[in-house]
Amino acid sequence: MRVIGTAGHVDHGKSALVEALTGIHPDRLKEEREREMTIDLGFAWLSLPLGEAGEWEEVGIVDVPGHRDFIENMLAGVGGIDAALFVIAADEGVMPQTREHLAILDLLHIQGGVIALTKIDLVEDEEWLDLVESEVHSITAGTVLADAPMVRVSAKERIGLEELKAALAECLRVKPRRIDLGRPRLPVDRVFSIAGFGTVVTGTLLDGSLRLGDEVVIHPSEKKGRIRGLQSHKNKVEIAYPGSRTAINLSGVDKDEIMRGDVVTRPRDYRSTRRVDVQFNMLPGASDALRHNAWVKFFMGTAEVMARVRLLGADELPPGAQGWLQLELMHPVIAQRGDRYILRRPSPGETLGGGAVIDAHPPGRHKRFSMEVFHRLETLAEGHAAEVLHQALVAAQLASWSEVVARSNLEAGQAQEALAELVKEEKIINLDQLGGAPAQAYRPNDLVISHSYWQSLVQRALQVLADYHRANPLRVGMPREEFKSRMQRAVQGSAKLFNLLLDSLIREKHLEETGGRLRLPQHRIQFSAEQKKQVDALLAQFQRAPYTPPTLKECKALAGEEVVHALLDLEELVAMDAEVAFRKQDYLQMVAEIQALIRRQGSVSVAQVRDHFQTSRRYALALLEHLDSTGVTQRQGDVRILPRP
């Protein structure tokens, strides 16, 4: 799932445009409606043709405030977006927050977007529109929106909306999907409670997938809870994927125990930090230099934390300069290498600049003028050997160890050291020695995958089963061969990978296998009230005539094919052949009595079974042939005997 974030000056029509595109008004607060101004984050969604074959997908929209007083709420909304919808009113053109929002998009490296020139119904002069477009091209030159298409629209008159949707779809279509690193984290942007359900948090899910029943930890409080419900765009889901707008219903956590800026993760996946090393780009338009020991507001994801600046290699950084900072945070945050952030001056409020986290867990306070520190930061910024090797493996997905080394372009010695680090951090899996092997045990032809790819396969497998259960609620599980066929592309046709994956999923109780059918542990066949009436009526007929019950064809006519299949899967009915079935308790009784007859007489014929149960030859023959096939009896001429022990 993709997420678009709006940006632009106050009253330039962002919310009206979102409502025109989606039919959803994103302003959820009464005060926002009264002031006709977005104060907090708003959310909406629409469908766009993003698939390779033009399949439609839901896309989330985060509508952020444009007013300067609420710029910090805006920062909580743009951290997890895939593209920007940059809104500029045609009647006013470029305004102060237009420039500030553009600078923030640039600092956060929001790669690409679409520029909407709104309110064109208020401008009659075509030359004025051309002048505004020229000004927009001028301010976006050299930024992440330099090549963004511009579409003239009117939300009021519904002009240009289809062209805008097409431009957004094309922008998102060429962007790579969010990678599932197997380490989900959800920066919280809203917290509320619903009567009868409890605490709900929302945000954009990053770096991994979450599913129903998962145990989670709320950072930085370390409060533990469990996922009792998941929604995306008001639809219940069993699994939420990276990049999706996600609502989590939490059990074990009160509303007052969580707030915007907290991060929901799985246990042991992350640890919080109060010190980060960062690469920093100072905005050219900043009013003053950034000085060592200055206090700033640090924005990352949805978190807003006061921080003290330790400037490395200098005492101050002038506007337009770049440098290294070590930020000491007043409160702990969850950060990862590569996360983008923004710094603002507390008073008067001003965006100073931003950049990327280089080390989320530095060993301690750095010596401010140490060349060793600078070298380490530069190596981390460029990507050290283990990171290069890991990225090569992530790109390859499934490859031999020698192929991964070749793709990484590392020397053998470097690769071996990097491998040892990746093994220690459990980022690499050797399929030929699944369970972990010493670094030196990796042989050139060993098949390897990244831990993140393995986790993506696990989530894909669970989603395949979840989709099957949703489409076939009255089936006990998915046939193993059908599951294998659905997973064929994901495992790249590797039988070894598929078998190891399936064995692991069963061993770790992520799924269960019974009679060649696979199912999620929480899946249970549940009949609707109407179906329950049909089941009761059908079983009542079996009870009235246990040895001459309705045929399966008659059962399907009475209760429906899906209900009958469910009763067979649940073993409420036991099929003898394509037409004859008995209730389980009647079947077990008949088996016991036939075995007793044979022990007493030495053998039994079809006619004797027919007469004993006062049934027809058709039912008796079907029963005995079934018992022959299951090894309960053995045919000898025209009679049945018990098999020899």
Side-chain angles (χ1 to χ4, degrees):
M1 186 177 293
R2 311 302 184 87
V3 179
I4 296 168
T6 66
H9 192 77
V10 63
D11 202 30
H12 274 208
K14 295 187 294 298
S15 299
L17 181 58
V18 170
E19 184 175 20
L21 288 170
T22 66
I24 302 168
H25 200 296
D27 288 348
R28 58 187 175 84
L29 301 178
K30 180 182 178 182
E31 184 184 354
E32 292 176 325
R33 295 296 186 96
E34 290 175 349
R35 295 176 63 175
E36 296 184 346
M37 176 193 301
T38 301
I39 297 171
D40 206 343
L41 302 176
F43 305 100
W45 57 90
L46 77 165
S47 293
L48 294 174
L50 302 183
E52 294 178 3
E55 300 94 343
W56 291 74
E57 297 181 19
E58 280 195 344
V59 174
I61 298 183
V62 181
D63 184 37
V64 303
H67 195 281
R68 188 176 191 89
D69 291 347
F70 308 115
I71 194 76
E72 292 171 0
N73 279 346
M74 176 265 189
L75 286 168
V78 296
I81 69 174
D82 297 290
L85 176 56
F86 197 53
V87 179
I88 302 171
D91 59 330
E92 290 191 353
V94 175
M95 299 292 282
Q97 268 64 64
T98 309
R99 298 179 184 275
E100 188 165 12
H101 280 211
L102 178 61
I104 289 170
L105 295 175
D106 210 37
L107 290 168
L108 293 175
H109 281 204
I110 305 300
Q111 293 297 320
V114 177
I115 301 168
L117 196 62
T118 58
K119 302 187 180 183
I120 62 170
D121 54 295
L122 301 180
V123 179
E124 296 180 359
D125 188 349
E126 190 74 17
E127 289 186 4
W128 174 262
L129 291 177
D130 292 339
L131 284 172
V132 173
E133 284 195 358
S134 177
E135 183 183 21
V136 173
H137 284 305
S138 175
I139 69 163
T140 57
T143 73
V144 290
L145 295 183
D147 299 320
M150 193 180 310
V151 182
R152 297 180 179 183
V153 297
S154 167
K156 181 180 179 181
E157 301 296 333
R158 303 193 65 79
I159 299 170
L161 296 181
E162 293 307 313
E163 292 84 350
L164 182 57
K165 289 180 182 179
L168 289 169
E170 181 60 28
C171 174
L172 293 174
R173 196 179 295 122
V174 299
K175 294 178 70 64
R177 300 277 178 179
R178 297 287 183 101
I179 296 176
D180 190 332
L181 299 176
R183 303 176 68 200
R185 50 176 171 149
L186 184 131
V188 175
D189 54 37
R190 286 179 62 199
V191 186
F192 52 93
S193 60
I194 299 177
F197 291 91
T199 303
V200 177
V201 299
T202 68
T204 300
L205 185 59
L206 307 174
D207 294 344
S209 303
L210 289 172
R211 62 190 183 100
L212 283 175
D214 275 355
E215 185 181 355
V216 293
V217 176
I218 314 302
H219 297 279
S221 68
E222 307 299 323
K223 179 73 176 178
K224 292 184 178 179
R226 191 170 294 277
I227 297 176
R228 63 184 294 188
L230 284 171
Q231 284 194 7
S232 184
H233 300 166
K234 295 191 176 181
N235 292 319
K236 291 183 179 180
V237 296
E238 292 191 13
I239 302 175
Y241 292 101
S244 63
R245 284 294 308 170
T246 303
I248 305 176
N249 181 203
L250 292 169
S251 63
V253 183
D254 292 336
K255 175 179 176 291
D256 294 338
E257 295 178 309
I258 189 168
M259 63 182 66
R260 175 187 286 180
D262 288 352
V263 180
V264 180
T265 77
R266 290 190 311 220
R268 297 175 295 282
D269 275 356
Y270 293 91
R271 58 189 177 96
S272 58
T273 182
R274 293 185 64 167
R275 179 182 288 130
V276 291
D277 294 342
V278 300
Q279 197 173 36
F280 180 69
N281 299 313
M282 188 82 168
L283 287 177
S287 63
D288 196 5
L290 177 65
R291 294 178 176 82
H292 176 63
N293 273 339
W295 283 99
V296 293
K297 285 186 177 180
F298 172 81
F299 295 87
M300 188 181 65
T302 59
E304 173 186 343
V305 179
M306 289 297 296
R308 187 183 290 277
V309 173
R310 299 194 71 246
L311 194 54
L312 305 180
D315 290 321
E316 66 176 41
L317 205 63
Q322 298 180 351
W324 304 108
L325 309 179
Q326 187 170 64
L327 299 174
E328 296 188 329
L329 310 173
M330 287 288 290
H331 301 286
V333 299
I334 294 296
Q336 284 290 96
R337 179 177 175 274
D339 285 352
R340 307 298 300 187
Y341 72 94
I342 295 291
L343 295 186
R344 281 178 58 82
R345 203 185 304 277
S347 181
E350 175 188 15
T351 301
L352 297 172
V357 173
I358 302 302
D359 190 349
H361 298 279
R365 275 189 157 206
H366 295 315
K367 294 180 179 179
R368 292 181 52 227
F369 294 90
S370 167
M371 293 304 297
E372 183 180 346
V373 169
F374 300 149
H375 176 71
R376 176 178 173 274
L377 293 174
E378 288 167 0
T379 301
L380 286 173
E382 294 170 1
H384 59 22
E387 181 64 19
V388 171
L389 189 68
H390 184 236
Q391 292 304 319
L393 180 56
V394 168
Q397 291 193 324
L398 178 68
S400 70
W401 169 239
S402 58
E403 288 173 339
V404 174
V405 174
R407 289 180 68 130
S408 69
N409 200 28
L410 293 174
E411 295 178 359
Q414 278 185 306
Q416 196 68 15
E417 291 177 5
L419 171 62
E421 183 175 338
L422 293 176
V423 169
K424 182 179 179 181
E425 295 178 359
E426 298 182 346
K427 289 184 176 180
I428 188 169
I429 296 174
N430 185 336
L431 294 180
D432 288 283
Q433 300 179 42
L434 192 62
Q440 63 270 21
Y442 277 60
R443 298 160 298 197
N445 292 326
D446 279 357
L447 203 58
V448 295
I449 64 172
S450 69
H451 184 266
S452 59
Y453 179 47
W454 177 265
Q455 288 300 315
S456 72
L457 291 177
V458 169
Q459 298 303 332
R460 170 62 181 161
L462 297 177
Q463 184 62 49
V464 165
L465 284 176
D467 290 344
Y468 183 86
H469 291 327
R470 193 177 298 108
N472 304 277
L474 298 185
R475 297 293 177 92
V476 73
M478 186 180 202
R480 183 187 177 111
E481 286 305 308
E482 183 178 349
F483 177 75
K484 183 177 182 180
S485 175
R486 297 266 191 103
M487 290 295 296
Q488 192 75 2
R489 184 174 179 182
V491 299
Q492 300 183 42
S494 171
K496 176 190 289 186
L497 181 53
F498 172 80
N499 291 330
L500 287 170
L501 176 67
L502 185 56
D503 290 344
S504 175
L505 289 169
I506 293 172
R507 184 174 61 253
E508 296 180 14
K509 303 186 186 306
H510 289 307
L511 57 85
E512 299 171 352
E513 183 174 20
T514 306
R517 288 179 176 268
L518 302 167
R519 68 182 182 89
L520 297 175
Q522 67 268 26
H523 174 67
R524 297 289 183 272
I525 291 177
Q526 292 184 331
F527 296 110
S528 67
E530 184 61 31
Q531 290 167 338
K532 188 68 171 64
K533 290 180 183 178
Q534 294 171 332
V535 168
D536 292 341
L538 181 61
L539 293 180
Q541 291 202 28
F542 274 75
Q543 186 175 10
R544 285 194 294 271
Y547 309 130
T548 55
T551 66
L552 286 173
K553 183 177 181 181
E554 291 169 339
C555 290
K556 292 172 184 177
L558 288 168
E561 187 168 342
E562 286 299 312
V563 169
V564 174
H565 277 300
L567 291 173
L568 291 168
D569 283 345
L570 291 169
E571 297 183 350
E572 295 276 350
L573 300 179
V574 182
M576 303 296 104
D577 57 23
E579 282 299 317
V580 175
F582 297 102
R583 282 193 313 166
K584 185 175 183 178
Q585 57 264 50
D586 300 328
Y587 167 75
L588 293 176
Q589 178 193 343
M590 295 168 81
V591 170
E593 292 186 27
I594 288 171
Q595 289 173 322
L597 281 172
I598 295 174
R599 291 190 189 98
R600 190 165 58 246
Q601 301 172 176
S603 65
V604 70
S605 66
V606 174
Q608 288 173 321
V609 170
R610 178 199 63 198
D611 294 342
H612 180 81
F613 293 108
Q614 296 183 355
T615 184
S616 69
R617 176 179 174 82
R618 175 190 188 187
Y619 286 96
L621 182 59
L623 173 61
L624 288 174
E625 288 180 345
H626 171 77
L627 296 182
D628 292 343
S629 68
T630 57
V632 174
T633 59
Q634 182 179 327
R635 182 171 180 173
Q636 192 177 73
D638 291 333
V639 298
R640 266 72 178 179
I641 63 174
L642 295 177
R644 290 191 179 92

